[in-house]
Amino acid sequence: RKGHAPVARPGVVMSLAASIAAPAALASRESASRRGRARLASRGVTDASRRVVGARGPIDRVARAVASPSLPSGPLDDLPVPDFLRGPLGDIVRNVETVLPDDAKKALLRTQYTSAVGLRLAFFLTQGVLSSRVSGRSNIDGAAAAAAIAKAVLDPDPRAKIPDEKSNLGNIVSNAADGRALTDDEAAEVSQFLEQHLTCIVNLFRTELEHLENGTYKFPYDLNPATAPTEQWNPGQVLAIASDTLSDQAKVSDRRDAKRGQELLDTFGPDPERYPAYYLQNFHYQTDGWLSADSARLYDFQVETLFLGSADTMRRHALPFVSRWMEGRDAADTKLLDAASGTGRFLTFVRDNWPELDCTAVELSPHYLDAVRKSNERFEDVATYPRAGPLKLVEANCEKMPFEDASFDAVTNVYLFHEMPKEARRNAAREFARVLKPGGKLFFVDSAQVGDGKALGMEKAFHQALERFPQFNHEPYYRDYSLTNLEELFGEFGLVLEESTVAWVSKAWCFTKTEDPSEAVEEVEPVVVEAPDLSGAGAR
């Protein structure tokens, strides 16, 4: 109704999201299982011969593909059952896992995943609607969003796109200053924009489900009720952080209206040795920037609200690169550096798949570094992670890291470069290359750039979004980042691009450190030649 922005009903979205796993004309379980086996066979996985290093030693890749996350996969200590039932219940779980046929296990995996992401999408869509109301702009139409999700998940072509030439942001980001209702044409633009981008989100989930079915990486721990952190499912904790986020959104809105993107300079003075001037920004018009415990506590929830519950999924699009690299490697002998770790969210997914890794997290904000510590406390549970490797926490700037040359096998970096000016990006790229061993990997995730919309058939829509996003969210270095040729930047320091993939509004890259120039230069024996006889030659 005009004047109202109805909230999408989670139950409706949940039932629709169950279709994420397949188009509307769903195939039978038997044919789905054949397709799954065919995908594995096409990758050369036809028996149990292909193995990777996992949480409890070598794990069969096919066995990982059909593991059922719908059943409790970890210790039963946290489940609300009497002690005398824990042993028998554990035996039941193990026996059920053993006797279930592969196709039934895959069906359970699909049910668990689609239910989890459906609820996540519906919840954060609702948060987005509420957030837009708190900000004083009725700029998100919940009913239109729900209809767009329905079209996206029920489309018989899982990769269907809205023609890019029809994309027009118009007044989608915000209404007129007087808060007037959308006209019919503007409402049509909203529906079209939402439909196009929500199709991309649904396709993100479809792609991740394929990776899970193929055993590329484990079922995300936070989507499994048996292993998810309590703050993601405990009603009281969820309500508290949702309420605090909405309260903070009102302050963010006031800051945005007043264009106060550098409030931190009222409290902190720039110090090249501690906090450079570019760092002292209220990025996203965020309260306290990166320099408070409250900012660190709310950050992940705020980002998931912004991206409708898909931020983790976009980050995890780098895991297939890590998975391929880890095949045949001993995780315990592999040193990984998570540079600009933030809250450590991506690091938890890496460690959940390869717990034995020897990890170091470097982060400039002491408050976010403490959040890294908290998010990684799960790996101190020896029952779940009996051979978890160490995690060292280091407070430092990525432009000048306190590590020896060639001291890490891999570096991960997520969502950093778009918030750095050009020279700072060069310094960080140089440092990544310096601390990597020859042959080491850089796994890099950041915002999509100008031109990346081609991969999704949305070049015009992406270009418009890239123009508006930095203005609306106070991202002063974003435009320059979006035009930076990262392949050339990293290549300058010996990091060669191996592969990349666009994940909606993010992109994941994999770079390899080349041999040191001094080692790569071929030694040539000197050749002695006689000096030419210049006698008789005329002077010039």
Side-chain angles (χ1 to χ4, degrees):
R1 299 193 303 269
K2 283 194 175 183
H4 294 77
V7 176
R9 292 172 292 170
V12 174
V13 181
M14 270 284 293
S15 63
L16 294 172
S19 299
I20 289 172
L26 293 174
S28 66
R29 285 186 181 179
E30 182 178 357
S31 62
S33 178
R34 284 200 302 269
R35 286 198 304 273
R37 287 194 293 269
R39 279 196 297 268
L40 290 172
S42 69
R43 298 176 59 179
V45 185
T46 54
D47 52 36
S49 62
R50 194 169 186 179
R51 306 175 77 82
V52 296
V53 176
R56 293 172 174 81
I59 291 180
D60 184 276
R61 197 178 183 87
V62 178
R64 177 189 284 190
V66 297
S68 169
S70 298
L71 302 174
S73 57
L76 303 176
D77 297 340
D78 296 330
L79 295 181
V81 296
D83 289 341
F84 67 88
L85 285 179
R86 296 188 189 281
L89 182 56
D91 292 337
I92 292 172
V93 169
R94 285 187 288 274
N95 290 337
V96 169
E97 288 282 6
T98 301
V99 301
L100 275 177
D102 288 355
D103 59 344
K105 291 181 181 180
K106 284 194 175 184
L108 285 173
L109 185 149
R110 285 184 166 218
T111 299
Q112 169 83 13
Y113 183 78
T114 55
S115 296
V117 299
L119 179 60
R120 190 182 184 93
L121 182 58
F123 175 80
F124 283 109
L125 173 61
T126 302
Q127 285 298 121
V129 171
L130 295 175
S131 178
S132 71
R133 291 180 174 181
V134 168
S135 70
R137 296 176 175 86
S138 299
N139 56 11
I140 297 181
D141 186 334
I149 292 173
K151 185 174 180 63
V153 300
L154 296 177
D155 195 320
D157 179 359
R159 297 291 186 263
K161 309 293 192 306
I162 296 176
D164 189 54
E165 62 272 12
K166 294 183 179 179
S167 174
N168 187 356
L169 282 181
N171 290 313
I172 290 168
V173 176
S174 63
N175 290 348
D178 60 3
R180 62 179 172 75
L182 291 174
T183 66
D184 289 343
D185 288 343
E186 289 167 347
E189 290 176 4
V190 170
S191 288
Q192 189 171 299
F193 177 79
L194 288 171
E195 187 177 318
Q196 192 170 32
H197 283 275
L198 286 169
T199 296
C200 287
I201 294 176
V202 171
N203 286 337
L204 272 179
F205 296 144
R206 283 194 177 112
T207 299
E208 177 159 78
L209 182 55
E210 290 174 4
H211 287 309
L212 299 180
E213 290 183 328
N214 291 338
T216 306
Y217 54 89
K218 287 174 59 178
F219 192 94
Y221 69 86
D222 69 323
L223 297 183
N224 185 346
T227 56
T230 57
E231 61 266 22
Q232 288 190 206
W233 58 262
N234 180 283
Q237 290 179 267
V238 172
L239 180 61
I241 194 168
S243 175
D244 290 347
T245 299
L246 288 175
S247 296
D248 186 64
Q249 181 59 37
K251 301 175 185 176
V252 169
S253 179
D254 290 343
R255 200 173 290 117
R256 177 182 291 117
D257 290 343
K259 302 297 182 185
R260 296 196 308 269
Q262 295 183 316
E263 280 187 351
L264 282 180
L265 291 175
D266 297 337
T267 307
F268 296 90
D271 179 359
E273 297 301 317
R274 184 71 188 274
Y275 300 132
Y278 74 81
Y279 185 76
L280 298 176
Q281 306 270 352
N282 295 83
F283 292 104
H284 322 147
Y285 291 109
Q286 186 168 316
T287 302
D288 301 328
W290 307 124
L291 293 175
S292 77
D294 265 350
S295 170
R297 181 175 64 90
L298 298 178
Y299 173 77
D300 285 319
F301 195 92
Q302 290 171 329
V303 171
E304 290 295 352
T305 299
L306 178 64
F307 296 115
L308 301 183
S310 69
D312 277 344
T313 309
M314 290 190 287
R315 293 183 182 104
R316 288 194 295 264
H317 269 59
L319 288 183
F321 301 155
V322 183
S323 181
R324 285 192 284 275
W325 179 65
M326 284 299 298
E327 289 185 16
R329 294 186 65 92
D330 183 353
D333 291 333
T334 301
K335 292 187 175 182
L336 181 141
L337 171 66
D338 190 35
S341 197
T343 63
R345 187 74 176 169
F346 179 69
L347 182 59
T348 64
F349 294 118
V350 173
R351 296 186 75 198
D352 187 49
N353 279 272
W354 303 280
E356 299 91 343
L357 286 169
D358 182 346
C359 294
T360 299
V362 61
E363 168 58 40
L364 184 54
S365 167
H367 306 287
Y368 277 73
L369 193 63
D370 190 52
V372 177
R373 177 187 61 79
K374 292 175 181 176
S375 66
N376 279 266
E377 284 178 346
R378 64 183 299 107
F379 300 102
E380 298 172 8
D381 182 352
V382 294
T384 305
Y385 303 101
R387 297 197 298 274
L391 172 62
K392 294 176 280 295
L393 303 176
V394 179
E395 183 181 337
N397 189 333
C398 283
E399 295 183 73
K400 190 177 181 181
M401 296 187 289
F403 309 119
E404 298 292 331
D405 294 357
S407 52
F408 293 96
D409 299 288
V411 172
T412 56
N413 179 248
V414 178
Y415 296 148
L416 170 68
F417 270 36
H418 72 274
E419 292 183 347
M420 302 178 87
K422 182 178 296 185
E423 191 57 35
R425 288 196 296 268
R426 284 181 53 80
N427 293 338
R430 182 186 296 110
E431 280 292 273
F432 295 167
R434 181 184 68 80
V435 302
L436 269 176
K437 298 176 182 178
K441 297 287 186 179
L442 168 63
F443 302 108
F444 183 89
V445 180
D446 213 307
S447 168
Q449 299 178 292
V450 170
D452 286 335
K454 285 182 180 178
L456 305 174
M458 295 172 58
E459 187 171 13
K460 180 181 177 183
F462 263 56
H463 180 75
Q464 292 173 321
L466 292 175
E467 287 283 348
R468 292 291 296 270
F469 180 77
Q471 302 168 26
F472 190 71
N473 289 284
H474 186 64
E475 293 280 9
Y477 313 113
Y478 188 90
R479 178 62 180 171
D480 183 71
Y481 159 81
S482 71
L483 296 169
T484 298
N485 187 321
L486 290 176
E487 183 176 0
E488 290 183 359
L489 173 60
F490 286 117
E492 182 179 345
F493 303 108
L495 296 170
V496 178
L497 178 64
E498 298 290 340
E499 51 187 334
S500 64
T501 184
V502 177
W504 186 31
V505 291
S506 295
K507 189 173 182 179
W509 290 262
C510 174
F511 297 88
T512 300
K513 169 75 174 291
T514 57
E515 297 293 322
D516 289 339
S518 59
E519 298 176 1
V521 175
E522 181 181 358
E523 293 188 6
V524 179
E525 290 291 334
V527 177
V528 179
V529 297
E530 294 184 0
D533 183 5
L534 299 178
S535 60
R540 298 189 179 200

